[in-house]
Amino acid sequence: MCGRYNFSQEESEEIQAIVREIERRQGVTGMKTGEIYPTNAAPVLLAENDAITPALFSWGFPGFKGQRVIINARAETAPEKPMFRASLAARRCVIPSTGFYEWDNHRQKYRFNLPDSTALYMAGFYNEFKGEPRYVILTTVANNSIVDVHNRMPVVLEKDMIRTWIQDEVAAREILRAEPPLLERKLVS
């Protein structure tokens, strides 16, 4: 679940601001936008001093024995998994997007968004592997807005939950147990 998402500065002023800040801070120009795939470098939001700042990280932890990358972690089991436990406790981040994609059993592609919002924020965490920062998206049981397409969905954060998710470990554990907000969906051709 959540094997691709959209990051489009044309669709969201919030996303435009994140791109401008990364360009200013990291000197990065021409970063990938549009459909984001596993292993792509994409923006995440994290704590730096007392501020929430964007940074460019790669999507996916290295898999076992060089096998595929691990792009998602189950919210229900991540706190106990040795690979995820420390990152979830101390290195939480938020993945900004303009929606995520999922396919149904008939291979029809859908895009999911928050109603009345141009940005959708997903909960995640990060770690460093061979000097490269990489992130994973947390997933949870699908709610009524997606369950007929897929049984999992990202842990979606309302904008006012970003700082809490990143900086408050106790509140973050509560967020993992909460039902995500209902989403809108659109069939993508």
Side-chain angles (χ1 to χ4, degrees), residues 24-115:
R24 186 188 69 74
R25 291 171 50 93
Q26 295 183 278
V28 175
T29 56
M31 81 177 76
K32 180 168 176 32
T33 59
E35 198 162 337
I36 304 297
Y37 292 78
T39 73
N40 286 160
V44 299
L45 304 176
L46 48 103
E48 187 176 279
N49 300 319
D50 194 33
I52 303 299
T53 60
L56 205 55
F57 288 8
S58 293
W59 183 16
F61 284 10
F64 303 103
K65 299 180 184 177
Q67 299 294 324
R68 299 194 252 156
V69 295
I70 298 165
I71 59 171
N72 296 320
R74 288 177 171 260
E76 304 89 339
T77 59
E80 288 81 43
K81 298 278 184 180
M83 177 178 232
F84 303 140
R85 184 182 312 124
S87 294
L88 181 58
R91 292 180 291 276
R92 289 179 305 284
C93 65
V94 172
I95 299 89
S97 76
T98 47
F100 66 91
Y101 298 104
E102 195 52 70
W103 289 258
D104 67 13
N105 292 333
H106 305 289
R107 304 299 303 152
Q108 290 184 304
K109 184 178 181 182
Y110 292 89
R111 180 168 158 186
F112 292 87
N113 302 84
L114 274 172

Side-chain angles (χ1 to χ4, degrees), residues 4 84 97 100 104 118 129 156 168 174:
R4 284 193 229 154
F84 303 140
S97 76
F100 66 91
D104 67 13
T118 60
F129 298 91
V156 175
D168 185 336
E174 290 300 316

Side-chain angles (χ1 to χ4, degrees), residues 14-32:
E14 292 173 50
I15 300 299
Q16 286 174 13
I18 291 167
V19 169
R20 282 192 304 271
E21 184 64 11
I22 287 175
E23 290 173 344
R24 186 188 69 74
R25 291 171 50 93
Q26 295 183 278
V28 175
T29 56
M31 81 177 76
K32 180 168 176 32

